[in-house]
């Protein structure tokens, strides 16, 4: 299978006295035929298309996002996120300062226009670089607000003590880069080059950026013109992606395991492979008995478990939903079974047909889940433990379902509630939720803007669970105080109450086929809520919506202002 980060040899490129490690990552067979790859002068990089491409590939390697294991814990999806959620951050806690990669991008943008390449090749390199610069600046702005905008490769002769630009200026530059990138990028790439930035990725990222900029984190006064701009951008992204064949994949569970151009849902992708660039997300989520060196990640909270509706689309608390608390996993939104692994759930890890996942106390051979649940989503069951630690499953940063939800949210905020219904119905239909007599897949008819807003945020929580989007949604809509503060997340303490609590005796009885958990679960087990935050209530502080600039950067550059709310900071991130 072709992978984005696949070539193994390293090319040492010497540029202005700096040694840059450049991986020949994409379309690099000719690069590997080059003689004397140990020392290539910078002048050769910008006269050889293969070397320029390898330079760009190294930026991809550094800049593209990884699996969001850490951010999944800074929300109500599962346990973790302690210092952030408990109000214990310092000015040095959040460090993200990718200006070395920004400089590499700026160097490419400076050199490529004069390179002896075809206009098509120049446009390709420039479009991709602009996309990556926009991505990096958006990551900075979403954390800190306005940051220094640097558009040329600085040298020691330049004034390096730059100031922070306004947040609005940064957003303007990000959008310009994405517009310029979209005009230069193709709608798709060949299979070998799948994973590079496309026109659709630029438009989708633009839609996401403007959705964030319209939301309360950046727009507490709710200037409606920002929502209109976000709506226009997301509609344009939807129209373009649909035109060029992007669509929801038919199978929600397996969409993560279809790679390259065959995956019509994947819009922005970081590719992985083994050997090459592998990832450990699979290992970190699996129980330790079917993993190695990693475990404990993405264990769902009881709050997330209870958020999934029934297969008829109704909340579990709704009258007539059909919810059975004695077998809470039955007849749920099919995404429940794809996302949640519960006690007694079949889970054929390592390809073990008939394997059952037990999460009761004493039921796991090694260690165990803290919350009482595991997540099945994105985890390839056929991997053996070694494979899980060296997984090649690609990370999809933006997929069509998110674009649809972004479009729905922006449309709703400008008064077009029907677009919300259209997008949610399409997503719920793909999920397998029953249409119902009204065709609304369990959605309340005639919703107000506020009701539709809540429905969209819930759908994002379910559809995008453990994709690093929940904490973004809580941040951009300033919901931490109303949703989580003063609370403690919960899981389940599950105990065997028969066979004297002896797991071996229960397993022997279960193997006979005489135990039916769908009808007799609580004859064998007790379940008691347990605190996933045993020592602290959640206390996400208002100043966390824009983090402090770490002291190391302030000390290097005395012209940088600290963010308001942090150690006497004077920089207003809302301007």
């Amino acid at each position: 299978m072709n992978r984005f980060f696949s070539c193994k040899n390293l090319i040492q490129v010497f540029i202005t006295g700096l040694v840059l490690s450049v991986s020949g990552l994409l379309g690099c067979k000719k690069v590997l035929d080059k003689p004397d790859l140990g020392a290539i002068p910078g002048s050769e990089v910008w006269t050889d298309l293969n070397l320029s491409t390898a330079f760009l590939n190294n930026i991809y390697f550094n800049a593209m996002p990884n699996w969001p294991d850490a951010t999944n814990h800074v929300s109500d999806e599962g346990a973790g996120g302690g210092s952030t959620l408990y109000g214990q951050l310092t000015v040095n806690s959040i460090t993200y300062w990718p200006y070395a990669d920004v400089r590499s991008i700026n160097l490419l943008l400076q050199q490529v226009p004069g390179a002896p390449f075809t206009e098509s090749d120049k446009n390709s390199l420039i479009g991709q670089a602009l996309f990556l610069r926009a991505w990096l600046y958006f990551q900075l702005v979403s954390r800190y607000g306005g940051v220094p905008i640097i558009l040329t490769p600085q040298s020691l002769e330049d004034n390096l003590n730059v100031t922070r630009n306004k947040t609005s200026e940064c957003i303007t530059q990000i959008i310009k880069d994405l517009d310029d990138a979209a005009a230069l990028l193709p709608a798709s790439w060949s299979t070998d080059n799948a994973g590079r930035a496309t026109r659709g990725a630029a438009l989708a990222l633009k839609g996401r950026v403007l959705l964030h900029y319209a939301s309360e984190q950046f727009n507490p006064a709710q200037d409606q013109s920002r929502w209109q701009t976000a709506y226009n951008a997301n509609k344009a992204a939807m129209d373009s992606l649909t035109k060029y064949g992007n669509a929801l994949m038919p199978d929600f569970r397996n969409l993560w395991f279809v790679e390259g151009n065959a995956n019509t849902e994947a819009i922005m992708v970081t590719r992985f492979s083994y050997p090459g660039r592998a990832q450990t997300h699979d290992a970190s989520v699996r129980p330790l008995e079917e993993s190695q060196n990693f475990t404990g990640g993405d264990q769902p909270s009881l709050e997330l478990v209870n958020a999934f509706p029934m297969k008829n689309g109704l909340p579990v608390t709704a009258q007539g939903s059909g919810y059975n608390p004695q077998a809470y996993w039955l007849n749920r939104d099919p995404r429940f079974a794809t996302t949640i692994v519960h006690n007694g759930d079949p889970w054929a890890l390592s390809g073990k047909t008939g394997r059952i996942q037990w999460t009761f106390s004493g039921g796991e051979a090694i260690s165990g889940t803290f919350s009482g649940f595991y997540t099945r989503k994105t985890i390839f069951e056929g991997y053996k433990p070694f494979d899980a630690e060296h997984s090649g499953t690609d990370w999809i940063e933006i997929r069509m379902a998110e674009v649809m939800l972004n479009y729905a949210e922006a449309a709703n905020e400008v008064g077009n509630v029907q677009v919300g219904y259209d997008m949610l119905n399409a997503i719920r239909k793909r999920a397998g939720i029953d249409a119902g007599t009204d065709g609304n897949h369990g959605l309340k008819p005639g919703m107000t803007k506020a009701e539709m807003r809540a429905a969209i945020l819930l759908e994002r929580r379910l559809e995008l669970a453990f994709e690093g989007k929940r904490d973004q949604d809580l941040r951009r809509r300033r919901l931490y105080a109303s949703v989580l503060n003063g609370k403690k997340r919960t899981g389940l303490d599950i105990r065997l109450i028969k066979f004297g609590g002896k797991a071996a005796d229960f397993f022997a009885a279960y193997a006979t086929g005489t135990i039916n958990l769908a009808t007799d679960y609580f004859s064998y087990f007790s379940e008691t809520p347990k605190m996933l935050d045993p020592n602290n209530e959640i206390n996400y502080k208002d100043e966390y919506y824009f983090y402090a600039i770490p002291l190391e950067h302030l000390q290097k550059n005395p012209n940088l202002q600290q963010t308001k709310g942090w150690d006497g900071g004077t920089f207003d991130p809302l301007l």
Side-chain angles (χ1 to χ4, degrees):
M1 181 180 299
N2 289 305
R3 295 289 190 152
F4 186 62
F5 299 109
S6 58
C7 297
K8 304 174 187 176
N9 297 56
L10 296 179
I11 305 168
Q12 298 302 313
V13 181
F14 290 78
I15 297 178
T16 61
L18 298 176
V19 181
L20 300 180
S21 177
V22 179
S23 299
L25 302 176
L26 277 171
C28 55
K29 291 181 180 179
K30 291 184 180 179
V31 175
L32 299 182
D33 294 335
K34 281 282 184 181
D36 188 21
L37 297 182
I40 301 175
S43 58
E44 289 190 24
V45 173
W46 309 116
T47 57
D48 187 303
L49 180 60
N50 291 313
L51 293 179
S52 294
T53 301
F55 185 87
L56 174 65
N57 294 340
N58 192 57
I59 302 171
Y60 267 102
F61 189 93
N62 293 332
M64 290 290 279
N66 207 326
W67 286 79
D69 298 309
T71 56
N72 287 341
H73 297 253
V74 192
S75 72
D76 48 5
E77 288 183 329
S83 59
T84 302
L85 289 184
Y86 303 151
Q88 299 167 352
L89 294 182
T90 71
V91 293
N92 296 316
S93 294
I94 307 298
T95 298
Y96 179 84
W97 210 246
Y99 279 99
D101 292 318
V102 171
R103 186 186 189 282
S104 294
I105 291 169
N106 290 337
L107 182 61
L108 184 151
L109 293 172
Q110 179 189 72
Q111 295 294 326
V112 165
F117 309 150
T118 67
E119 285 303 306
S120 176
D121 288 333
K122 288 181 184 181
N123 289 342
S124 172
L125 293 169
I126 291 170
Q128 293 173 79
L130 289 170
F131 175 88
L132 292 169
R133 188 169 70 181
W135 169 258
L136 291 175
Y137 268 111
F138 178 54
Q139 299 314 298
L140 282 163
V141 171
S142 64
R143 289 166 172 81
Y144 304 115
V147 293
I149 299 175
I150 301 173
L151 303 179
T152 59
Q154 291 178 306
S155 67
L156 293 178
E157 288 73 32
D158 294 326
N159 178 12
L160 302 181
N161 291 330
V162 294
T163 59
R164 294 176 71 172
N165 286 81
K166 293 179 180 180
T167 302
S168 57
E169 293 171 340
C170 292
I171 295 294
T172 297
Q173 182 61 48
I174 291 168
I175 298 307
K176 181 180 185 306
D177 279 354
L178 290 172
D179 283 341
D180 291 346
L184 297 173
L185 291 170
S188 63
W189 294 87
S190 67
T191 299
D192 285 350
N193 284 323
R196 290 186 182 274
T198 63
R199 181 185 306 128
L203 294 174
L205 180 56
K206 177 182 176 179
R208 183 197 282 185
V209 170
L210 290 171
L211 182 81
H212 280 237
Y213 193 53
S215 299
E216 288 83 351
Q217 178 191 7
F218 293 95
N219 187 24
Q222 285 296 274
D223 176 357
Q224 284 298 294
S225 67
R226 292 196 193 177
W227 280 112
Q228 184 64 51
T229 303
Y231 167 76
N232 294 342
N234 280 287
K235 184 178 187 303
M238 274 292 302
D239 290 345
S240 179
L241 289 164
T242 302
K243 175 181 177 180
Y244 290 105
N246 290 102
L248 295 176
M249 291 288 283
D251 184 352
F252 177 79
R253 170 172 289 192
N254 292 314
L255 72 88
W256 293 90
F257 313 125
V258 179
E259 299 184 346
N261 292 333
N263 192 327
T264 60
E265 188 159 350
I267 308 299
M268 178 180 173
V269 178
T270 304
R271 305 198 71 178
F272 292 91
S273 67
Y274 180 80
R277 187 192 189 191
Q279 47 92 348
T280 59
H281 172 76
D282 282 79
S284 72
V285 171
R286 289 157 65 116
L288 189 55
E289 63 193 67
E290 297 295 341
S291 183
Q292 62 180 32
N293 298 322
F294 297 88
T295 193
D298 292 356
Q299 294 177 358
S301 67
L302 186 58
E303 287 76 18
L304 178 60
V305 170
N306 290 336
F308 283 91
M310 302 301 292
K311 194 174 185 299
N312 57 21
L314 297 178
V316 296
T317 55
Q319 185 175 3
S321 70
Y323 177 66
N324 177 10
Q326 301 302 311
Y328 55 83
W329 59 89
L330 295 180
N331 299 316
R332 300 291 291 272
D333 173 348
R335 289 173 298 186
F336 176 97
T338 296
T339 307
I340 307 297
V341 178
H342 57 85
N343 188 42
D345 202 359
W347 198 14
L349 292 176
S350 303
K352 296 177 180 177
T353 303
R355 180 185 176 277
I356 304 296
Q357 183 64 54
W358 302 105
T359 64
F360 66 88
S361 179
E364 296 189 67
I366 308 174
S367 185
T369 166
F370 183 56
S371 75
F373 302 98
Y374 289 101
T375 185
R376 179 181 278 110
K377 187 177 183 181
T378 76
I379 304 305
F380 185 64
E381 295 180 357
Y383 280 153
K384 302 293 193 295
F386 175 87
D387 302 318
E389 189 185 358
H390 303 85
S391 173
T393 302
D394 295 342
W395 165 240
I396 306 175
E397 172 61 32
I398 302 177
R399 58 187 178 92
M400 194 65 175
E402 185 206 337
V403 178
M404 294 169 68
L405 288 163
N406 294 347
Y407 175 43
E409 187 172 349
N412 182 63
E413 294 297 340
V414 298
N416 193 339
V417 179
Q418 186 57 47
V419 170
Y421 276 106
D422 294 342
M423 297 299 104
L424 295 192
N425 274 314
I427 290 170
R428 287 188 157 210
K429 179 180 179 180
R430 191 271 297 273
I433 293 177
D434 298 335
T437 56
D438 60 1
N440 277 333
H441 297 85
L443 296 171
K444 176 184 174 183
M447 282 191 277
T448 64
K449 178 193 288 189
E451 290 172 326
M452 178 56 76
R453 180 187 302 129
I456 292 168
L457 287 171
L458 173 61
E459 203 66 27
R460 294 179 69 92
R461 184 181 185 187
L462 305 177
E463 175 71 23
L464 306 176
F466 296 113
E467 296 183 37
K469 305 302 188 288
R470 177 62 173 172
D471 76 303
Q472 293 178 17
D473 288 346
L474 294 173
R475 270 175 63 76
R476 68 179 176 83
R477 302 230 60 156
R478 288 185 180 253
L479 290 173
Y480 274 103
S482 60
V483 172
L484 287 179
N485 278 1
K487 299 178 182 177
K488 294 186 175 185
R489 295 162 294 182
T490 58
L492 288 178
D493 179 18
I494 307 170
R495 302 277 174 168
L496 180 64
I497 57 177
K498 280 197 172 183
F499 305 101
K502 295 180 180 179
D505 292 346
F506 168 76
F507 292 149
Y510 186 83
T512 67
T514 58
I515 295 176
N516 186 345
L517 296 183
T519 57
D520 299 321
Y521 181 84
F522 285 101
S523 297
Y524 296 93
F525 298 103
S526 67
E527 293 187 342
T528 305
K530 62 181 292 189
M531 296 295 106
L532 303 183
D533 303 293
N535 301 316
N536 298 278
E537 290 184 344
I538 295 173
N539 180 30
Y540 190 96
K541 295 184 177 180
D542 192 60
E543 58 263 35
Y544 291 2
Y545 288 109
F546 294 102
Y547 299 122
I549 301 291
L551 291 178
E552 62 174 307
H553 304 305
L554 298 179
Q555 290 165 353
K556 291 176 182 176
N557 178 2
N559 287 340
L560 286 179
Q561 294 174 272
Q562 183 57 280
T563 308
K564 276 188 175 182
W566 295 90
D567 290 0
T570 57
F571 182 86
D572 188 348
L574 295 178
L575 296 179

